[in-house]
Amino acid sequence: KKKKTVETYYNLESFLFDLVKKLNNINITLEKYTNIKLSFDNDANIKVSKNNTNIEFEKLSSGEKRIILLFLYVVFSKEKIILIDEPEISLSLNYQNKFVNDIIKLSNGKKIMMATHAPYIYDDCKANGFELINV
């Protein structure tokens, strides 16, 4: 059994603060897309509310689920390189138009690689200085 120390307490407090901060960054970004907020319940599970009403994740539209999962993956992944295949799947043109700038901001310096057929995604990648490979 690990002995609890002041250092352990501060490490845990710092870890929890970091989790909340990351989720808050996702929520700020989600405001551009939808009235969905993510939070932690008492068991540290992520819960979803839409228009200030709790909702099951499965009841969201496919585009809402997709954008949330992409944002969560990019923010919480420990990987330094993130691969995203066809991010436009299930995303409306409105979502696609905002996606690249937001994913870059949320990535916190991680390298992003994407495969896409969507003109908005491609043009935004080009505008943000991505190395482009046409196949």
Side-chain angles (χ1 to χ4, degrees), residues 52-84:
N52 296 316
T53 303
N54 290 339
I55 186 170
E56 293 177 35
F57 182 79
E58 293 77 26
K59 300 210 178 199
L60 297 173
S61 73
S62 59
E64 290 169 331
K65 288 183 217 174
R66 177 86 167 150
I67 203 77
I68 289 168
L69 290 174
L70 286 168
F71 287 171
L72 287 168
Y73 177 69
V74 167
V75 168
F76 286 103
S77 174
K78 294 186 190 303
E79 304 301 325
K80 294 181 181 174
I81 299 174
I82 306 291
L83 307 173
I84 304 173

Short mmCIF file of all heavy atoms in Angstrom, two decimals, residues 52-84:
data_model
loop_
_atom_site.label_atom_id
_atom_site.label_comp_id
_atom_site.label_asym_id
_atom_site.label_seq_id
_atom_site.Cartn_x
_atom_site.Cartn_y
_atom_site.Cartn_z
N ASN A 52 -28.57 22.33 -21.59
CA ASN A 52 -28.64 22.27 -20.13
C ASN A 52 -29.45 21.09 -19.59
O ASN A 52 -29.91 21.12 -18.46
CB ASN A 52 -29.18 23.59 -19.55
CG ASN A 52 -28.26 24.74 -19.84
OD1 ASN A 52 -27.04 24.62 -19.71
ND2 ASN A 52 -28.82 25.86 -20.26
N THR A 53 -29.62 20.05 -20.40
CA THR A 53 -30.31 18.84 -19.97
C THR A 53 -29.39 17.64 -20.19
O THR A 53 -28.82 17.50 -21.28
CB THR A 53 -31.61 18.63 -20.78
OG1 THR A 53 -32.43 19.79 -20.64
CG2 THR A 53 -32.36 17.41 -20.33
N ASN A 54 -29.23 16.80 -19.17
CA ASN A 54 -28.40 15.60 -19.33
C ASN A 54 -28.97 14.73 -20.44
O ASN A 54 -30.19 14.57 -20.55
CB ASN A 54 -28.32 14.81 -18.03
CG ASN A 54 -27.50 15.52 -16.98
OD1 ASN A 54 -26.69 16.39 -17.29
ND2 ASN A 54 -27.71 15.16 -15.73
N ILE A 55 -28.07 14.18 -21.24
CA ILE A 55 -28.48 13.34 -22.37
C ILE A 55 -27.49 12.20 -22.50
O ILE A 55 -26.30 12.36 -22.22
CB ILE A 55 -28.57 14.18 -23.67
CG1 ILE A 55 -29.13 13.37 -24.83
CG2 ILE A 55 -27.24 14.79 -24.02
CD1 ILE A 55 -29.46 14.19 -26.07
N GLU A 56 -27.96 11.05 -22.94
CA GLU A 56 -27.08 9.92 -23.20
C GLU A 56 -26.29 10.20 -24.46
O GLU A 56 -26.83 10.73 -25.43
CB GLU A 56 -27.89 8.63 -23.37
CG GLU A 56 -28.58 8.16 -22.11
CD GLU A 56 -29.41 6.92 -22.37
OE1 GLU A 56 -28.98 6.08 -23.19
OE2 GLU A 56 -30.47 6.80 -21.74
N PHE A 57 -25.03 9.84 -24.45
CA PHE A 57 -24.16 10.08 -25.60
C PHE A 57 -24.76 9.46 -26.87
O PHE A 57 -24.71 10.06 -27.94
CB PHE A 57 -22.76 9.50 -25.32
CG PHE A 57 -21.78 9.75 -26.43
CD1 PHE A 57 -21.17 10.99 -26.56
CD2 PHE A 57 -21.45 8.74 -27.32
CE1 PHE A 57 -20.26 11.22 -27.59
CE2 PHE A 57 -20.55 8.96 -28.34
CZ PHE A 57 -19.94 10.20 -28.47
N GLU A 58 -25.34 8.29 -26.74
CA GLU A 58 -25.89 7.57 -27.89
C GLU A 58 -27.03 8.34 -28.56
O GLU A 58 -27.36 8.08 -29.71
CB GLU A 58 -26.39 6.18 -27.48
CG GLU A 58 -25.29 5.22 -27.06
CD GLU A 58 -24.77 5.50 -25.65
OE1 GLU A 58 -25.51 6.07 -24.80
OE2 GLU A 58 -23.59 5.19 -25.40
N LYS A 59 -27.67 9.26 -27.86
CA LYS A 59 -28.80 10.00 -28.41
C LYS A 59 -28.38 11.24 -29.20
O LYS A 59 -29.22 11.90 -29.79
CB LYS A 59 -29.76 10.38 -27.30
CG LYS A 59 -30.30 9.15 -26.60
CD LYS A 59 -31.64 9.34 -26.06
CE LYS A 59 -32.02 7.99 -25.44
NZ LYS A 59 -33.35 7.78 -25.24
N LEU A 60 -27.09 11.55 -29.21
CA LEU A 60 -26.60 12.68 -29.99
C LEU A 60 -26.58 12.31 -31.47
O LEU A 60 -26.57 11.13 -31.83
CB LEU A 60 -25.18 13.05 -29.55
CG LEU A 60 -25.01 13.54 -28.11
CD1 LEU A 60 -23.53 13.69 -27.78
CD2 LEU A 60 -25.75 14.85 -27.89
N SER A 61 -26.54 13.32 -32.33
CA SER A 61 -26.44 13.05 -33.77
C SER A 61 -25.06 12.47 -34.05
O SER A 61 -24.12 12.60 -33.26
CB SER A 61 -26.62 14.35 -34.56
OG SER A 61 -25.48 15.18 -34.44
N SER A 62 -24.91 11.84 -35.21
CA SER A 62 -23.62 11.24 -35.55
C SER A 62 -22.53 12.31 -35.67
O SER A 62 -21.39 12.08 -35.28
CB SER A 62 -23.72 10.43 -36.85
OG SER A 62 -24.15 11.25 -37.91
N GLY A 63 -22.87 13.50 -36.17
CA GLY A 63 -21.90 14.59 -36.26
C GLY A 63 -21.48 15.09 -34.89
O GLY A 63 -20.30 15.37 -34.66
N GLU A 64 -22.42 15.21 -33.97
CA GLU A 64 -22.09 15.64 -32.60
C GLU A 64 -21.19 14.62 -31.92
O GLU A 64 -20.20 14.98 -31.28
CB GLU A 64 -23.38 15.84 -31.78
CG GLU A 64 -24.19 17.03 -32.23
CD GLU A 64 -25.58 17.08 -31.61
OE1 GLU A 64 -26.14 16.01 -31.30
OE2 GLU A 64 -26.09 18.19 -31.48
N LYS A 65 -21.51 13.33 -32.08
CA LYS A 65 -20.67 12.29 -31.49
C LYS A 65 -19.27 12.34 -32.08
O LYS A 65 -18.28 12.25 -31.36
CB LYS A 65 -21.27 10.90 -31.76
CG LYS A 65 -22.50 10.58 -30.99
CD LYS A 65 -22.93 9.17 -31.31
CE LYS A 65 -24.41 9.05 -31.38
NZ LYS A 65 -24.86 7.73 -31.84
N ARG A 66 -19.20 12.49 -33.39
CA ARG A 66 -17.91 12.49 -34.09
C ARG A 66 -17.02 13.64 -33.62
O ARG A 66 -15.85 13.45 -33.32
CB ARG A 66 -18.16 12.57 -35.59
CG ARG A 66 -16.91 12.65 -36.44
CD ARG A 66 -16.38 11.30 -36.76
NE ARG A 66 -15.39 11.42 -37.82
CZ ARG A 66 -14.36 10.63 -37.96
NH1 ARG A 66 -14.22 9.63 -37.14
NH2 ARG A 66 -13.50 10.81 -38.91
N ILE A 67 -17.57 14.85 -33.55
CA ILE A 67 -16.76 16.01 -33.17
C ILE A 67 -16.30 15.88 -31.71
O ILE A 67 -15.16 16.18 -31.38
CB ILE A 67 -17.51 17.34 -33.45
CG1 ILE A 67 -16.50 18.49 -33.60
CG2 ILE A 67 -18.51 17.70 -32.40
CD1 ILE A 67 -15.79 18.52 -34.90
N ILE A 68 -17.18 15.40 -30.85
CA ILE A 68 -16.81 15.21 -29.44
C ILE A 68 -15.69 14.18 -29.31
O ILE A 68 -14.70 14.41 -28.62
CB ILE A 68 -18.04 14.80 -28.60
CG1 ILE A 68 -18.99 15.99 -28.45
CG2 ILE A 68 -17.61 14.27 -27.23
CD1 ILE A 68 -20.35 15.62 -27.89
N LEU A 69 -15.83 13.04 -29.99
CA LEU A 69 -14.82 12.00 -29.89
C LEU A 69 -13.48 12.45 -30.47
O LEU A 69 -12.42 12.16 -29.91
CB LEU A 69 -15.30 10.72 -30.58
CG LEU A 69 -16.43 10.00 -29.86
CD1 LEU A 69 -16.94 8.83 -30.70
CD2 LEU A 69 -16.01 9.52 -28.48
N LEU A 70 -13.52 13.18 -31.59
CA LEU A 70 -12.27 13.69 -32.16
C LEU A 70 -11.59 14.66 -31.20
O LEU A 70 -10.38 14.59 -30.98
CB LEU A 70 -12.54 14.37 -33.51
CG LEU A 70 -12.82 13.42 -34.68
CD1 LEU A 70 -13.34 14.20 -35.88
CD2 LEU A 70 -11.57 12.64 -35.06
N PHE A 71 -12.36 15.57 -30.63
CA PHE A 71 -11.80 16.54 -29.69
C PHE A 71 -11.24 15.84 -28.45
O PHE A 71 -10.13 16.15 -28.01
CB PHE A 71 -12.84 17.59 -29.27
CG PHE A 71 -13.17 18.59 -30.34
CD1 PHE A 71 -14.23 19.47 -30.15
CD2 PHE A 71 -12.47 18.68 -31.53
CE1 PHE A 71 -14.55 20.42 -31.12
CE2 PHE A 71 -12.78 19.62 -32.50
CZ PHE A 71 -13.83 20.49 -32.29
N LEU A 72 -11.99 14.90 -27.89
CA LEU A 72 -11.51 14.16 -26.71
C LEU A 72 -10.22 13.40 -27.02
O LEU A 72 -9.27 13.41 -26.24
CB LEU A 72 -12.57 13.20 -26.20
CG LEU A 72 -13.77 13.82 -25.47
CD1 LEU A 72 -14.87 12.79 -25.28
CD2 LEU A 72 -13.35 14.42 -24.13
N TYR A 73 -10.20 12.76 -28.17
CA TYR A 73 -9.02 11.98 -28.57
C TYR A 73 -7.79 12.87 -28.69
O TYR A 73 -6.72 12.56 -28.15
CB TYR A 73 -9.29 11.24 -29.87
CG TYR A 73 -8.09 10.48 -30.37
CD1 TYR A 73 -7.63 9.35 -29.69
CD2 TYR A 73 -7.39 10.90 -31.49
CE1 TYR A 73 -6.51 8.65 -30.13
CE2 TYR A 73 -6.27 10.21 -31.94
CZ TYR A 73 -5.84 9.09 -31.25
OH TYR A 73 -4.74 8.42 -31.68
N VAL A 74 -7.93 13.99 -29.39
CA VAL A 74 -6.79 14.87 -29.60
C VAL A 74 -6.31 15.48 -28.29
O VAL A 74 -5.12 15.55 -28.02
CB VAL A 74 -7.14 15.97 -30.64
CG1 VAL A 74 -6.12 17.09 -30.64
CG2 VAL A 74 -7.25 15.36 -32.02
N VAL A 75 -7.23 15.90 -27.45
CA VAL A 75 -6.85 16.55 -26.19
C VAL A 75 -6.25 15.57 -25.19
O VAL A 75 -5.24 15.87 -24.55
CB VAL A 75 -8.06 17.29 -25.58
CG1 VAL A 75 -7.78 17.74 -24.15
CG2 VAL A 75 -8.44 18.49 -26.45
N PHE A 76 -6.84 14.40 -25.05
CA PHE A 76 -6.40 13.49 -23.99
C PHE A 76 -5.38 12.43 -24.43
O PHE A 76 -4.81 11.75 -23.59
CB PHE A 76 -7.61 12.81 -23.34
CG PHE A 76 -8.38 13.73 -22.44
CD1 PHE A 76 -9.57 14.30 -22.86
CD2 PHE A 76 -7.90 14.07 -21.19
CE1 PHE A 76 -10.27 15.17 -22.04
CE2 PHE A 76 -8.59 14.94 -20.36
CZ PHE A 76 -9.78 15.49 -20.78
N SER A 77 -5.13 12.32 -25.72
CA SER A 77 -4.14 11.36 -26.19
C SER A 77 -2.74 11.77 -25.75
O SER A 77 -2.38 12.94 -25.79
CB SER A 77 -4.18 11.27 -27.71
OG SER A 77 -3.13 10.43 -28.16
N LYS A 78 -1.97 10.80 -25.35
CA LYS A 78 -0.58 11.07 -24.97
C LYS A 78 0.35 10.96 -26.18
O LYS A 78 1.54 11.22 -26.08
CB LYS A 78 -0.15 10.10 -23.88
CG LYS A 78 -0.89 10.32 -22.56
CD LYS A 78 -0.31 9.45 -21.48
CE LYS A 78 -1.11 9.41 -20.23
NZ LYS A 78 -1.41 10.58 -19.54
N GLU A 79 -0.21 10.56 -27.31
CA GLU A 79 0.59 10.42 -28.53
C GLU A 79 1.05 11.79 -29.03
O GLU A 79 0.35 12.78 -28.87
CB GLU A 79 -0.22 9.73 -29.63
CG GLU A 79 -0.77 8.38 -29.24
CD GLU A 79 0.30 7.38 -28.84
OE1 GLU A 79 1.41 7.41 -29.42
OE2 GLU A 79 0.05 6.58 -27.93
N LYS A 80 2.22 11.82 -29.65
CA LYS A 80 2.75 13.08 -30.19
C LYS A 80 2.33 13.28 -31.64
O LYS A 80 2.41 14.39 -32.17
CB LYS A 80 4.27 13.10 -30.07
CG LYS A 80 4.70 13.15 -28.62
CD LYS A 80 6.18 13.19 -28.47
CE LYS A 80 6.44 13.20 -26.98
NZ LYS A 80 7.71 13.12 -26.52
N ILE A 81 1.90 12.21 -32.29
CA ILE A 81 1.40 12.28 -33.66
C ILE A 81 -0.01 11.71 -33.66
O ILE A 81 -0.24 10.58 -33.23
CB ILE A 81 2.29 11.49 -34.64
CG1 ILE A 81 3.71 12.05 -34.64
CG2 ILE A 81 1.69 11.52 -36.04
CD1 ILE A 81 4.69 11.25 -35.45
N ILE A 82 -0.96 12.50 -34.16
CA ILE A 82 -2.36 12.09 -34.21
C ILE A 82 -2.75 11.85 -35.67
O ILE A 82 -2.58 12.74 -36.51
CB ILE A 82 -3.28 13.18 -33.61
CG1 ILE A 82 -2.84 13.58 -32.21
CG2 ILE A 82 -4.74 12.75 -33.67
CD1 ILE A 82 -3.03 12.53 -31.15
N LEU A 83 -3.25 10.67 -35.96
CA LEU A 83 -3.71 10.33 -37.31
C LEU A 83 -5.23 10.37 -37.33
O LEU A 83 -5.88 9.73 -36.51
CB LEU A 83 -3.24 8.93 -37.70
CG LEU A 83 -1.73 8.67 -37.57
CD1 LEU A 83 -1.43 7.20 -37.81
CD2 LEU A 83 -0.95 9.55 -38.51
N ILE A 84 -5.78 11.14 -38.26
CA ILE A 84 -7.24 11.24 -38.37
C ILE A 84 -7.62 10.91 -39.81
O ILE A 84 -7.26 11.62 -40.74
CB ILE A 84 -7.75 12.64 -37.99
CG1 ILE A 84 -7.28 13.03 -36.58
CG2 ILE A 84 -9.28 12.69 -38.10
CD1 ILE A 84 -7.60 14.46 -36.20
#
